[in-house]
Amino acid sequence: MAALLVLAFLSGRATRTLSAAGGTQYLLLLYEGAEYRGDRPTEETVAEYGRWADSLRSENRLAGAHKLDDQRVTVLREQPVEVGRTMPSDPTGMFVIRADSPDAAAAIARTSPHLRYGGRIVLWKLL
């Protein structure tokens, strides 16, 4: 829950478009899961994730950050659209960063406060 609040806060702050110089864009999907420790005060968590996003922004590495809604819509071919609540295994938020390589993107992801609290981050190179 704390990660969702943090990402809601960051989504309004991290929408700047980055220049073409600076690397490839990578999607960082954030997952909480059973190990995630969301027991800190929300204000502290928001401030910590905000400082992390600000540091990425100052290095021209942050392209965006978004909270993912707790309602998901599943669309399958020739079946009714399913609307429901997210599952614990679903991502809770995302960042788009710019890095020069997959290893550099992973190094950036490793600095995220999300990992310190038991969260998991999955990287995807954007084409």
Side-chain angles (χ1 to χ4, degrees):
M1 183 58 126
L4 294 175
L5 294 171
V6 169
L7 290 169
F9 169 75
L10 293 176
S11 67
R13 297 177 54 185
T15 57
R16 189 171 91 177
T17 303
L18 299 175
S19 66
T24 302
Q25 287 190 343
Y26 292 85
L27 173 66
L28 281 61
L29 285 174
L30 280 61
Y31 296 83
E32 289 184 1
E35 297 84 31
Y36 186 78
R37 296 183 328 271
D39 55 353
R40 296 176 348 127
T42 301
E43 299 80 22
E44 288 180 24
T45 304
V46 168
E48 185 173 7
Y49 278 63
R51 286 189 300 272
W52 183 69
D54 287 343
S55 72
L56 295 178
R57 188 179 300 105
S58 72
E59 297 168 2
N60 202 29
R61 295 286 174 205
L62 184 65
H66 300 278
K67 168 197 168 297
L68 301 180
D69 192 9
D70 62 356
Q71 177 178 305
R72 69 175 175 172
V73 178
T74 304
V75 180
L76 300 170
R77 184 176 179 202
E78 298 182 21
Q79 293 186 21
V81 171
E82 294 180 25
V83 178
R85 306 299 280 177
T86 56
M87 305 294 282
S89 60
D90 289 335
T92 57
M94 51 82 63
F95 285 84
V96 177
I97 62 165
R98 198 173 283 284
D100 296 326
S101 69
D103 288 339
I108 292 169
R110 282 189 192 101
T111 67
S112 170
H114 193 68
L115 296 178
R116 281 194 292 278
Y117 300 105
R120 180 172 59 101
I121 299 174
V122 176
L123 288 170
W124 291 89
K125 180 180 178 180
L126 299 179
L127 301 177

